[in-house]
Amino acid sequence: MVEHRPTFVTNLECSLTGEVYEADQVHGQSSAGRPLLVRYDLDAMRTQVTRDEIAARPTDLWRWRELLPVRATTDIVSLGEIETPLVPLLKAGGANVLVKDEGRLPTGSFKARGLVMAVAMAKALGITRIAMPTNGNAGAALAAYASRCGIETIVFCPADTPEINVREIAMQGARVWRVNGLIDDCGAIVGEGARQGRWFDFSTLKEPYRIEGKKTMGLELAAQLGWTLPKAIFYPTGGGTGLIGMWKAFAELEALGWIGSERPKMFAVQAAGCAPIVKAFEDGVEHADRWEDAHTVAAGIRVPRAVGDFLILRAVRESGGRALAVSDAAILDAVDDAARQDGLLLCPEGGATLAAYRQALADGLVAAEDSTILFNCATGLKYPMPEAPQALDRHALIDWDAL
Amino acid sequence: MVEHRPTFVTNLECSLTGEVYEADQVHGQSSAGRPLLVRYDLDAMRTQVTRDEIAARPTDLWRWRELLPVRATTDIVSLGEIETPLVPLLKAGGANVLVKDEGRLPTGSFKARGLVMAVAMAKALGITRIAMPTNGNAGAALAAYASRCGIETIVFCPADTPEINVREIAMQGARVWRVNGLIDDCGAIVGEGARQGRWFDFSTLKEPYRIEGKKTMGLELAAQLGWTLPKAIFYPTGGGTGLIGMWKAFAELEALGWIGSERPKMFAVQAAGCAPIVKAFEDGVEHADRWEDAHTVAAGIRVPRAVGDFLILRAVRESGGRALAVSDAAILDAVDDAARQDGLLLCPEGGATLAAYRQALADGLVAAEDSTILFNCATGLKYPMPEAPQALDRHALIDWDAL
């Protein structure tokens, strides 16, 4: 299904110190305990591929092959990673608001982007057993891709993770455990097992390749918008891999000469009940403290501590954007409005981006005429919806005017 | 988002008698009480568009504009109808089995294809109030598209329709009623209300345009397979609009000279607990009797009576295919295998096609080397999954070897 193309990967480097690591080796984090970033020979690449060639290829994630770390086509484990559509949100958003609907990806969320890449690399590097903490969607994507290529997976999620996520993970062949704690408590178990040599740790930003998959959101946006970028991006921010990834993608595209130096304002959206990045942003600091008593209806962004905090904050600040917190009530209103008015069922995290957009608009941080992208990171179908209990007895007299 | 292109629509005609009806008028069924089919000036079209031009366009449903009934681009109500991917089902299926994953469409099912077209035409023709009987997915798609363009909708579903479907319909702005009966009982209410002039009847094959949307499954398949068709197609058959639509699409593509005269064997897949088409096929008759006491886990194909029965049976027979019934146990096994082995979570109706394929393979109706397409008509996330109850106490001593 996927044609062979060369990758231009050269090496990995520490996101904090710049220390260089060899490609094609098993790596977790850097020796400084920070995320590793994959680097490419963009000078060579710009002489060998044009953006028009990319644009003419089938529009899936693998069109970006030269900018992805997978070398051998046979290591690609695909479930059909389509380019996700941009859906106008005319009524609930406005004339210049597009939703990038990531719920269309395999397993119904943007986590598929990161995990398809990380699993392909795990396959390439001979890893056979993987563990991961998850609020639901990442675990589902890991389970699907790993099962598909025979890698064993063990997934840990907070005890109150929605039932549908836990079942989906199990259905797709992972062993899944509900843990009495939050995602970082689950992460501690995964970390301990990894230290014991029981499995490879696939936590957010603790292996180098999920970010490479997630950066395709930025690559796709540029291609979909005719090699321009929007004025503003609202991104639901838990671990923040996607935001960091897009920021990296924009830099790579500029280095290739495929886009200019203009950047969108990046808005990192969090829930008021779990807003460590917002607090760090407002405090003007580089790292975020753990958020205590985290709670929000948007489980995907209930991440008390993000290992890539400094990378998120750096991107948001460089972009002239903000970190914004929204209430659960505003999130639920936004979900309701988008579904009722525009027929688009967002996930709560997607709803959070609409709520944040509305707040930013009211506060003058964006203008109604600014082209704006909201990320809906998963299908709304995975989340609880209010009851709709109307019953009609077909054997009784029907009150037609009441229908 | 969508460029203007001319449609080559000429007229409508009765699928039974051939009686001609004018295009661009509000129509339900023909005067003979049969479905109306849309006809195009394919001779004119073949001189003005090439298949290569179509192939070079953005890969969504609207690339087929010339073969679709919508005239004005402003009538298109889109939620991002992407081309759905073909996903290999290597382990649970076989080397030559591809799943067309229709769960990636807006509202998570192939019903979006039919409804995006029917709603656009309703908008074009000034219809303002629509009612529909549904087993779930069609109602969700109708609600989403109709709400998006301000058309009022009233949806009736069997009392035991899964909660998620009913809630989704309501969230997306329709008024939804649970009725103590099956889908044809719901259809009777819709029909009665339509006769009273309360709304327009959007039941399967009772308006002419859902089939035009559904036929894009056949158009897409041809384009995705390089203007060839597979040897066999397994299609979950309730109302059968998609099967009839694909058969029509293949005829149109051949008339355009874009494919040859070879056709896939069409396998209409039903559940053993509701198999009216299978019975009619085996009895060698043209019409199917209502199936009494219909029951199956695959609610989407729990359709006791299909108004297009003769069109389904005709296509299946002309193709050299079969109508096949599979047990609920075989369906659930198939869903489980595809998820566990290939990481692809099928809906029960999609599982039914895998179960039927396995049966057909065992019975020698298809060969393992035949290129085969299974239709997964909706995301598996909308359906009940088995419990996955493992809990882990992070404060207790962890039995690592048991994880």
Side-chain angles (χ1 to χ4, degrees):
Chain A
M1 307 288 289
V2 177
E3 268 183 72
H4 177 71
R5 302 182 195 286
T7 173
F8 284 84
V9 68
T10 52
N11 63 279
L12 282 62
E13 66 178 47
C14 174
S15 56
L16 190 68
T17 65
E19 188 189 353
V20 170
Y21 291 78
E22 229 177 300
D24 308 303
Q25 303 287 326
V26 176
H27 294 295
Q29 289 188 311
S30 73
S31 60
R34 300 295 177 181
L36 288 173
L37 299 177
V38 181
R39 297 300 180 198
Y40 300 84
D41 185 349
L42 300 173
D43 288 332
M45 184 175 158
R46 72 185 292 173
T47 67
Q48 290 176 51
V49 201
T50 68
R51 66 186 196 184
D52 292 342
E53 279 172 56
I54 302 257
R57 295 177 187 170
T59 51
D60 65 16
L61 179 147
W62 301 104
R63 70 183 345 192
W64 302 102
R65 191 75 185 277
E66 289 89 343
L67 275 178
L68 300 174
V70 183
R71 286 198 195 276
T73 302
T74 48
D75 288 325
I76 292 178
V77 186
S78 173
L79 284 161
E81 298 69 33
I82 59 146
E83 181 177 89
T84 57
L86 296 171
V87 182
L89 203 66
L90 280 175
K91 297 183 204 165
N96 298 301
V97 176
L98 297 173
V99 172
K100 191 148 171 75
D101 190 5
E102 297 279 298
R104 311 297 194 79
L105 288 162
T107 70
S109 90
F110 69 164
K111 298 289 184 181
R113 292 186 191 271
L115 272 311
V116 75
M117 205 60 56
V119 168
M121 291 306 293
K123 186 182 169 197
L125 297 168
I127 292 166
T128 56
R129 203 157 188 250
I130 293 169
M132 177 197 265
T134 182
N135 280 323
N137 284 328
L142 170 63
Y145 288 112
S147 294
R148 199 164 168 85
C149 64
I151 293 176
E152 203 183 337
T153 48
I154 305 101
V155 170
F156 300 88
C157 58
D160 61 354
T161 300
E163 191 61 28
I164 189 172
N165 294 97
V166 183
R167 293 183 184 205
E168 182 192 8
I169 293 167
M171 275 292 283
Q172 289 164 185
R175 295 202 297 284
V176 54
W177 296 88
R178 288 181 180 276
V179 176
N180 50 347
L182 294 183
I183 190 165
D184 54 351
D185 300 311
C186 298
I189 296 169
V190 171
E192 175 56 27
R195 273 186 296 278
Q196 293 179 17
R198 294 179 178 275
W199 51 56
F200 190 76
D201 185 343
F202 248 45
S203 303
T204 300
L205 295 172
K206 292 198 173 167
E207 65 73 55
Y209 304 110
R210 283 170 69 181
I211 191 174
E212 293 305 294
K214 281 283 192 75
K215 86 177 177 192
T216 60
M217 293 188 292
L219 302 175
E220 269 182 29
L221 264 186
Q224 286 177 302
L225 300 175
W227 308 105
T228 65
L229 297 178
K231 286 281 182 199
I233 292 177
F234 287 76
Y235 188 82
T237 306
T241 318
L243 194 148
I244 301 165
M246 283 194 280
W247 202 243
K248 181 171 187 286
F250 299 151
E252 290 172 355
L253 289 174
E254 187 182 354
L256 288 166
W258 295 1
I259 62 168
S261 59
E262 272 193 276
R263 292 289 181 278
K265 285 185 188 170
M266 305 294 282
F267 291 93
V269 178
Q270 298 202 303
C274 182
I277 300 296
V278 178
K279 182 166 188 311
F281 180 85
E282 289 173 354
D283 291 349
V285 296
E286 258 226 290
H287 289 278
D289 292 333
R290 184 176 197 271
W291 188 272
E292 299 303 326
D293 296 322
H295 60 91
T296 166
V297 292
I301 52 177
R302 194 181 59 176
V303 177
R305 178 167 22 210
V307 63
D309 53 0
F310 66 110
L311 297 171
I312 300 168
L313 287 159
R314 202 178 284 172
V316 168
R317 287 179 175 128
E318 282 179 22
S319 78
R322 291 269 184 109
L324 295 175
V326 290
S327 70
D328 278 5
I331 290 174
L332 294 174
D333 277 352
V335 169
D336 203 61
D337 289 348
R340 218 165 277 282
Q341 298 169 21
D342 295 275
L344 189 60
L345 187 63
L346 304 173
C347 63
E349 297 78 12
T353 67
L354 174 56
Y357 171 72
R358 288 169 165 185
Q359 190 177 304
L361 196 63
D363 294 347
L365 302 176
V366 289
E369 61 269 24
D370 290 345
S371 62
T372 300
I373 302 290
L374 310 181
F375 270 87
N376 183 48
C377 45
T379 169
L381 294 168
K382 287 200 190 189
Y383 302 85
M385 290 180 268
E387 266 187 87
Q390 298 184 96
L392 183 72
D393 181 0
R394 72 189 170 95
H395 302 299
L397 203 67
I398 292 176
D399 178 1
W400 292 95
D401 292 324
L403 295 180
Chain B
M1 306 288 288
V2 178
E3 267 182 74
H4 177 70
R5 302 186 196 282
T7 172
F8 284 84
V9 68
T10 52
N11 62 278
L12 283 62
E13 65 178 48
C14 174
S15 56
L16 190 68
T17 66
E19 189 188 353
V20 170
Y21 291 76
E22 230 176 297
D24 308 304
Q25 304 287 325
V26 175
H27 293 295
Q29 287 187 313
S30 73
S31 59
R34 299 296 176 181
L36 289 172
L37 300 176
V38 181
R39 297 301 179 195
Y40 300 83
D41 185 349
L42 300 173
D43 289 332
M45 185 176 158
R46 73 186 291 172
T47 67
Q48 289 176 51
V49 200
T50 67
R51 66 186 197 183
D52 292 343
E53 278 171 60
I54 302 258
R57 294 177 187 169
T59 51
D60 65 17
L61 179 148
W62 301 103
R63 71 184 342 193
W64 302 102
R65 192 72 185 278
E66 288 90 344
L67 275 178
L68 299 174
V70 184
R71 287 197 194 276
T73 303
T74 48
D75 289 325
I76 292 178
V77 186
S78 173
L79 284 162
E81 297 71 31
I82 58 146
E83 182 177 88
T84 57
L86 295 171
V87 182
L89 203 66
L90 279 176
K91 297 183 204 165
N96 297 300
V97 177
L98 297 173
V99 172
K100 190 146 171 76
D101 190 6
E102 297 280 297
R104 310 298 193 80
L105 288 161
T107 71
S109 91
F110 69 164
K111 298 289 183 180
R113 293 187 190 270
L115 272 311
V116 73
M117 205 59 56
V119 168
M121 290 305 293
K123 186 182 170 198
L125 297 168
I127 292 167
T128 57
R129 204 158 187 249
I130 293 169
M132 176 195 265
T134 182
N135 280 325
N137 284 328
L142 170 62
Y145 288 112
S147 294
R148 198 163 169 86
C149 65
I151 293 176
E152 203 183 336
T153 47
I154 305 101
V155 170
F156 301 89
C157 58
D160 61 354
T161 301
E163 191 62 27
I164 189 172
N165 294 97
V166 183
R167 294 183 184 205
E168 181 193 9
I169 295 167
M171 276 292 283
Q172 289 165 184
R175 295 201 297 284
V176 54
W177 296 88
R178 288 182 181 275
V179 176
N180 49 346
L182 293 184
I183 190 167
D184 53 351
D185 300 312
C186 298
I189 296 169
V190 171
E192 174 56 27
R195 274 186 294 278
Q196 294 179 17
R198 293 179 179 276
W199 50 56
F200 189 77
D201 185 342
F202 248 45
S203 302
T204 300
L205 294 173
K206 292 197 173 168
E207 66 72 57
Y209 304 110
R210 282 169 69 181
I211 191 174
E212 293 304 295
K214 280 284 191 73
K215 86 176 178 192
T216 59
M217 292 188 292
L219 302 174
E220 269 182 28
L221 264 186
Q224 285 176 303
L225 300 175
W227 308 105
T228 65
L229 297 178
K231 287 279 183 203
I233 292 178
F234 287 77
Y235 188 82
T237 305
T241 318
L243 194 148
I244 301 166
M246 282 194 280
W247 202 243
K248 182 173 187 284
F250 299 152
E252 290 172 355
L253 289 173
E254 187 183 355
L256 286 166
W258 295 1
I259 62 168
S261 59
E262 273 194 277
R263 293 288 181 278
K265 285 185 189 170
M266 304 295 283
F267 290 92
V269 178
Q270 300 202 303
C274 182
I277 299 295
V278 178
K279 183 166 187 312
F281 180 84
E282 289 174 354
D283 292 349
V285 296
E286 258 227 288
H287 289 278
D289 291 333
R290 184 177 197 271
W291 189 273
E292 300 303 326
D293 297 321
H295 59 91
T296 166
V297 292
I301 51 177
R302 195 182 57 176
V303 178
R305 177 164 27 206
V307 62
D309 52 1
F310 66 110
L311 298 171
I312 300 168
L313 287 159
R314 202 179 285 173
V316 169
R317 288 181 176 129
E318 283 179 22
S319 79
R322 290 270 184 110
L324 296 174
V326 290
S327 70
D328 278 6
I331 290 174
L332 294 174
D333 277 352
V335 169
D336 203 61
D337 289 347
R340 218 165 277 282
Q341 297 168 21
D342 294 276
L344 189 60
L345 188 61
L346 304 173
C347 63
E349 297 78 12
T353 67
L354 174 56
Y357 170 73
R358 288 168 165 186
Q359 192 178 303
L361 196 64
D363 294 348
L365 302 175
V366 290
E369 61 270 25
D370 291 344
S371 62
T372 299
I373 302 290
L374 310 180
F375 270 86
N376 183 46
C377 45
T379 168
L381 294 168
K382 287 200 190 191
Y383 301 85
M385 290 180 269
E387 267 187 87
Q390 299 184 97
L392 183 73
D393 180 0
R394 71 189 172 94
H395 301 300
L397 203 67
I398 293 176
D399 178 2
W400 292 95
D401 293 323
L403 296 179

